[in-house]
Amino acid sequence: MGNESLAIFVVVVLCLGAVLIMGKDKVPPRLKRGMALTAVILIALAFIFIIYSFLA
């Protein structure tokens, strides 16, 4: 994964996490768990990719 792609992915994932945190009251209750789990997985992947890019 190139540096530009990694930077775009990290920015998009962090924005997604911020949007989900700010809009958590507007989401139907049955969708909250799935959206939160998806956001956590994507944010964790972003940080793993950042660490990988520093080490590679």
Side-chain angles (χ1 to χ4, degrees):
M1 185 179 287
N3 288 337
E4 297 86 16
S5 299
L6 179 64
I8 292 170
F9 178 75
V10 169
V11 168
V12 168
V13 166
L14 294 177
C15 289
L16 171 68
V19 167
L20 286 177
I21 289 171
M22 289 187 289
K24 66 182 176 190
D25 297 331
K26 298 176 185 175
V27 177
R30 65 180 198 177
L31 294 178
K32 281 186 181 182
R33 182 173 297 208
M35 291 177 66
L37 185 61
T38 303
V40 167
I41 291 170
L42 288 174
I43 291 171
L45 279 174
F47 285 117
I48 289 170
F49 287 149
I50 289 171
I51 292 170
Y52 176 75
S53 70
F54 285 142
L55 297 176

